[in-house]
Each structure stands twice: as C-alpha cells, then as structure tokens.
C-alpha cells in the first residue's frame, strides 16, 4: 500500500470512529466495508493508473524522513556496495541521493551545531 492509499484509508476509518451516533457493531461493519473496498477495488485501481502514467519522482507519506523528492533515475537499477564484508543493494547514484537528502554529507558539522538526541548519558565500569 502506498502512502496516499494509507492516508485515504486511515482518514475514512477515522471519520467513522469519531461518529458518536452509531452502535459499535455498525461501526465495525462499516470499517470492514471501507477496508474491503479500498483493498479490493480502490487501491488496485490507483496502482493500475500509477503504472500507466509512471512518474520520475518518488514521494513518501507523512511520518517518513524523506521530505524532498527522490528520482527513480538516481535510484534504479540498484547496484551493490560492500559494507563490513557483506554486499548490500544501494541506489545507482548513491552520491546524488545522499546529497539530495543530507546536503554536503561528506563535511562534518561544526561542534556548536551538533545537538545530541539523548537526555542523559551515563558511563558504567
């Protein structure tokens, strides 16, 4: 399921859950009906349309770390790169993908600009 599909599905279910005027059994029936329609009809149609008109950009749903578009030409076909003695699939244009996400990823930031993501650091012997 793509990000758009999940958001649409979640929004429909959210609207049903917030309707206080219906019985719980009716609510569950409606949610199951929405889920079945989306998974059997709605999302397959959207996937088919996406295959007919493929885009060059990869977009992600909310909650992911990728805010900028990524391009399929930079990623596919995947290549392999060695990391700690094992081969892993990586984007074809690794440098371009990393620069789009992180900017100049090869330059270390100034120590004043580094903000740790922890509350407390303890060392034990």
């Amino acid at each position: 399921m793509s990000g758009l599909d999940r958001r649409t599905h979640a929004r429909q279910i959210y609207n049903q859950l917030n309707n206080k005027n219906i019985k719980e059994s009716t609510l569950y029936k409606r949610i199951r009906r929405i889920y079945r329609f989306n998974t059997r009809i709605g999302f397959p149609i959207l996937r088919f349309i996406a295959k007919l008109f493929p885009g060059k950009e990869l977009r992600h749903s909310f909650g992911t770390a990728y805010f900028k578009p990524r391009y399929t030409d930079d990623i596919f076909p995947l290549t392999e790169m060695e990391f700690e003695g094992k081969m892993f699939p990586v984007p074809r244009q690794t440098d371009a993908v990393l620069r789009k996400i992180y900017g100049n990823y090869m330059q270390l930031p100034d120590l004043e600009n580094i903000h740790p993501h922890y509350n407390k650091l303890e060392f034990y012997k």
Side-chain angles (χ1 to χ4, degrees):
M1 227 186 266
S2 71
L4 177 65
D5 297 344
R6 285 188 193 105
R7 281 194 308 256
T8 304
H9 181 70
R11 187 178 311 116
Q12 290 171 340
I13 291 176
Y14 176 81
N15 290 338
Q16 290 297 319
L17 288 172
N18 283 330
N19 189 346
K20 305 294 183 200
N21 300 326
I22 56 176
K23 294 188 301 186
E24 189 172 334
S25 60
T26 305
L27 177 68
Y28 287 130
K29 287 178 185 176
R30 287 183 181 178
I31 290 173
R32 278 194 295 272
R33 195 174 303 135
I34 291 169
Y35 178 80
R36 279 195 305 266
F37 174 81
N38 285 341
T39 55
R40 293 178 183 169
I41 298 170
F43 300 150
I45 290 172
L46 291 174
R47 279 189 217 99
F48 177 73
I49 292 170
K51 287 181 183 179
L52 284 177
F53 306 103
K56 295 285 184 186
E57 291 183 0
L58 294 175
R59 294 278 183 176
H60 296 275
S61 64
F62 296 114
T64 62
Y66 305 110
F67 299 114
K68 299 176 184 173
R70 299 188 301 163
Y71 299 97
T72 56
D73 294 339
D74 292 340
I75 298 173
F76 300 108
L78 296 176
T79 60
E80 285 193 340
M81 189 177 284
E82 184 178 350
F83 178 73
E84 295 188 356
K86 296 186 180 187
M87 298 300 284
F88 292 94
V90 296
R92 183 172 62 98
Q93 301 289 336
T94 308
D95 183 65
V97 171
L98 290 172
R99 286 192 188 281
K100 285 178 185 160
I101 295 173
Y102 302 110
N104 188 359
Y105 68 94
M106 295 299 283
Q107 181 179 350
L108 291 174
D110 296 329
L111 290 177
E112 295 82 32
N113 294 333
I114 297 177
H115 304 288
H117 299 276
Y118 53 84
N119 292 330
K120 186 177 180 182
L121 182 63
E122 296 182 20
F123 295 96
Y124 298 97
K125 289 185 179 185

